[in-house]
Every structure is written in C-alpha cells, then in structure tokens.
Amino acid sequence: MPRATRASRLSGLLASVVLLAVAAVGCGGSDSGSSASGAKGSDSSSAAGAFPVTLDHKYGSTTIKSEPRRIVTVGLTDQDAVLALGKVPVGTTEWLGGYRGAVGPWAEDKLGGAAAPTVLTDTGTGPQVEKIAALKPDLILAVYSGLTKAQYESLSKFAPVVAQPKAYNDYGVPWQQQTEEIGKALGKETEAKTLVSGVEDEFAAAKKANPAFAGATAVMATPYEGTFVYGSQDTRSRILSDLGFSLPKDLDKVIGDTFGANISKERFDLLDQDVDVWIVPDLTTAVTKLHSDKIYSDLNVVKQGREVFIQETGDYGNAVSLSTVLSLPYVLDRLVPQLAAAVDGKPATKVEQPAS
C-alpha cells in the first residue's frame, strides 16, 4: 500500500474484512520477539490487587486474570501507552514505518535495555494472526484499531483481546481513554491517570499562554485523493479542540460517522477557518498544488496566510498522526508556535517550520 498519507493507510484498514487463517495457531511457533520488561527508569510491576480486571469494548468484555507479561499491540498507536506505563511489548503493528520496533523518537528511551518489539504488518487484510500467536502473547491490545468481530474472535482463541471502545468510531478513541484503558489492562490504572493529567496540564498551559486560540476556528486536512478533512472524532482534530479551537460547525454532518472523508469543492467553506492545518506529503510541491486551486486560493485563510503545513513523513508529522500520551508533548512544542503565528491577526507573520 502506498505511503502517500495517513488517510490512505486507515482507509485500507477500515475497508478490510478478510480474516487470516488460523490453522497454524495450534502449532504455535518459536518464542520470537523480546520478553516483556519494564522500561528503563519505570516501575513495570502492576498495582497490588489489580487483577482480575474486566474491560468493556465494542465486542463485549474481556477479563484479564493476571498481570500480562507478553503484550502484542494490534492497535496502531497502542505501543506508546504500554511503553509510557513501563512495559515493552513483544510485538507491535507497523503503521508509519521507519522506526525500530515501531517506536518513535519520543518513546525510544522507554525501551530501556529491552530488545525492540517484533514488528507485525497489516496490509489491509487484518492482523497477522499466525505471527501474533507465535509471539505467545498473554494480552493483545487493539484499542486504537478497526478490528472486526471476526478478527477479534480469531485472536481471542489464544489470548485475551481488548478491542476498540464501542463509544467511538473505529480509530476514534481519544488518547486519554486509550491510555487509561491500557492502564487498566496492565494493572496500572492510577499511573495511567497521572500520565494523562500531566499531558492535559501541558495543553492547559498552551491554552493559557495563547488566549487567541479560544473561540478561533480550525480544521485539520490532507490532500489525499482530493481534499480529505478529519472529523471531530479523529485524534488529529482533537489536538485542535484540546487547545481551545472550535471545529467547523457542519464538519461531522458533511463527513458522516467516520474519522474523516473527502469533501467536494462545493464544501470548501469547511476550509475557510481562522486556521487550516494541512498534513502534506512535502512542503514544496504539495503546497504549490494546493494553492494552484482557484477555489481554495481565493479563501481568506489562504489570502491572510493562516495555514500551517506539517510534512507527514517526518517525525513531526508522525507524532501528529499518532497523537499519543508520549507523542503529544513532542507535537505541542512544534505546533503551538505555528498556530500562534497563524492566528495573531497579522497577515505578514510567517508561519515558520520547526527547526527539527
């Protein structure tokens, strides 16, 4: 699958309904991957009396009887919460590419001295069931996922599976709930709440330092097969909401019950906000192509220089797409100054790219 945009990756995953065969599961496999261990400087042990614990999700509920030690993350961003809570998964699922163990630079130090997780792939046909079974997991996390019921049932044959919450769209769980659900599954509910509170404090500090964000409107988009706009239940849009911005009033009505959708030029009014944040393949030709569209270039958001551009394939763009308890502080350091420049009311102010 081309790595053109995060939207193309998720679209393929949401469309997948094919279940991989599990005939070889009973045969098991070698004990591949690292053994689960605590991250350097973290207490990897669970709270006393934390187990058994039962978690509700889209396909019912799952009971985890004892502290998990071999964790596989099927959810595309779940590894960050696991690492933040002091454990290293034995397997992770590839999404962004280019990172050892599918662990970004904002989370690398959490590996400590442990081996990097075995990286699994999902090309649109669902989790690699046989390879997951070979890792001998005692917990499979699919919180940030589009897991189907058939895939859930297949994976549940050899380990407890925590699927995506039923209260949100697939791939729509907020990072706060993702962290807290994984904290419960690992017997670290209190620690998870503390982590969430810490990052929320960073958002609150950014809002206080930038009062212009409150009441301003913003939208997150990407030039995927035209113009793809992220909805209110997408993790990327929630960054803007959590900073005090308001999303376009008709946004969810236009895109429907999903994380995002392509919009027609007749609905480019959704783009004429106080600031547009674009996740683009590159910062030159992609931007030029956007501005060559007469309808878009005639919008005030363009004329007044209120656009923020993020290159999707760099660490910054990857951190935005993940939007996890570990990647978000990395994002805020870079995005907040850009947003502040975009909404300062001075068209001459240039929105600078982060130094790194």
Side-chain angles (χ1 to χ4, degrees), residues 206-238:
K207 287 171 65 175
K208 184 176 181 180
N210 295 278
F213 292 176
T217 59
V219 68
M220 188 86 69
T222 187
Y224 165 65
E225 294 185 352
T227 304
F228 189 98
V229 177
Y230 295 102
S232 67
Q233 285 203 44
D234 186 78
T235 54
R236 283 151 285 216
S237 292
R238 286 199 182 100

Side-chain angles (χ1 to χ4, degrees), residues 42 73 89 141 178 206 252 313 339:
S42 299
T73 59
L141 294 171
Q178 175 192 40
D252 288 348
T313 54
L339 292 170

Side-chain angles (χ1 to χ4, degrees), residues 19 28 35 52 142 168 174-175 184 208 216 231 246 273 299 312 316 347-348:
L19 181 64
S35 60
Y168 303 97
W175 65 269
K184 292 176 187 176
K208 184 176 181 180
S246 298
Q273 306 302 321
L299 299 178
E312 68 164 354
Y316 178 21

Side-chain angles (χ1 to χ4, degrees), residues 102-126:
V103 176
W106 48 84
E108 234 177 8
D109 65 320
K110 302 297 183 182
L111 289 172
T118 296
V119 178
L120 306 157
T121 59
D122 181 343
T123 59
T125 57

Side-chain angles (χ1 to χ4, degrees), residues 20-44:
L20 293 179
V22 292
V25 169
C27 300
S30 61
D31 187 9
S32 57
S34 64
S35 60
S37 61
K40 186 177 181 180
S42 299
D43 179 6
S44 63

Side-chain angles (χ1 to χ4, degrees), residues 9 18 32 42 52 69 79 81 91 115 132 135-136 142 146 260 277 299 323:
R9 177 64 174 136
V18 181
S32 57
S42 299
R69 300 190 180 277
Q79 67 270 24
I132 294 172
L135 291 172
K136 301 179 181 177
V277 181
L299 299 178
S323 292

Side-chain angles (χ1 to χ4, degrees), residues 241-262:
S241 300
D242 289 347
L243 285 170
F245 289 93
S246 298
L247 301 176
K249 184 176 63 174
D250 292 339
L251 179 61
D252 288 348
K253 181 179 178 181
V254 172
I255 67 171
D257 186 23
T258 183
F259 67 93
N262 287 95

Side-chain angles (χ1 to χ4, degrees), residues 35-340:
S35 60
S37 61
K40 186 177 181 180
S42 299
D43 179 6
S44 63
S45 60
S46 301
F51 298 99
V53 62
T54 299
L55 289 89
D56 296 329
H57 50 73
K58 185 174 182 178
Y59 303 119
S61 63
T62 295
T63 298
I64 303 165
K65 296 180 180 179
S66 59
E67 180 180 355
R69 300 190 180 277
R70 296 187 61 81
I71 303 158
V72 170
T73 59
V74 169
L76 300 181
T77 67
D78 292 351
Q79 67 270 24
D80 275 15
V82 175
L83 289 163
L85 290 164
K87 289 185 177 289
V88 177
V90 295
T92 54
T93 298
E94 187 70 275
W95 180 25
L96 304 174
Y99 296 131
R100 185 173 67 103
V103 176
W106 48 84
E108 234 177 8
D109 65 320
K110 302 297 183 182
L111 289 172
T118 296
V119 178
L120 306 157
T121 59
D122 181 343
T123 59
T125 57
Q128 293 179 296
V129 174
E130 295 178 24
K131 290 185 177 181
I132 294 172
L135 291 172
K136 301 179 181 177
D138 52 19
L139 176 63
I140 298 171
L141 294 171
V143 181
Y144 182 83
S145 80
L147 203 67
T148 67
K149 185 175 182 180
Q151 291 162 357
Y152 167 75
E153 291 173 347
S154 179
L155 292 171
S156 296
K157 291 178 180 178
F158 52 88
V161 180
V162 179
Q164 62 269 39
K166 61 183 176 182
Y168 303 97
N169 294 337
D170 289 351
Y171 304 103
V173 60
W175 65 269
Q176 295 98 323
Q177 182 161 348
Q178 175 192 40
T179 305
E180 292 178 7
E181 287 293 291
I182 291 174
K184 292 176 187 176
L186 302 185
K188 299 182 142 205
E189 184 174 3
T190 299
E191 187 175 340
K193 289 181 181 295
T194 300
L195 288 169
V196 167
S197 181
V199 178
E200 287 182 332
D201 285 347
E202 294 194 41
F203 272 94
K207 287 171 65 175
K208 184 176 181 180
N210 295 278
F213 292 176
T217 59
V219 68
M220 188 86 69
T222 187
Y224 165 65
E225 294 185 352
T227 304
F228 189 98
V229 177
Y230 295 102
S232 67
Q233 285 203 44
D234 186 78
T235 54
R236 283 151 285 216
S237 292
R238 286 199 182 100
I239 296 174
L240 301 176
S241 300
D242 289 347
L243 285 170
F245 289 93
S246 298
L247 301 176
K249 184 176 63 174
D250 292 339
L251 179 61
D252 288 348
K253 181 179 178 181
V254 172
I255 67 171
D257 186 23
T258 183
F259 67 93
N262 287 95
I263 61 171
S264 66
K265 291 187 178 184
E266 286 75 21
R267 290 315 311 256
F268 270 21
D269 58 294
L270 292 174
L271 300 174
D272 204 12
Q273 306 302 321
D274 292 317
V275 59
D276 285 356
V277 181
W278 286 95
I279 302 175
V280 293
D282 64 83
L283 300 172
T284 53
T285 58
V287 176
T288 300
K289 185 176 180 181
L290 273 173
H291 288 170
S292 68
D293 185 294
K294 173 120 177 79
I295 297 176
Y296 177 66
S297 63
D298 278 346
L299 299 178
N300 287 329
V301 68
V302 179
K303 291 178 178 178
Q304 297 175 12
R306 293 187 267 109
E307 300 164 290
V308 170
F309 293 102
I310 301 170
Q311 184 168 329
E312 68 164 354
T313 54
D315 291 340
Y316 178 21
N318 289 339
V320 170
S321 288
L322 259 73
S323 292
T324 64
V325 69
L326 290 181
S327 77
L328 283 169
Y330 183 98
V331 170
L332 292 179
D333 286 344
R334 292 154 178 79
L335 180 60
V336 169
Q338 289 185 297
L339 292 170

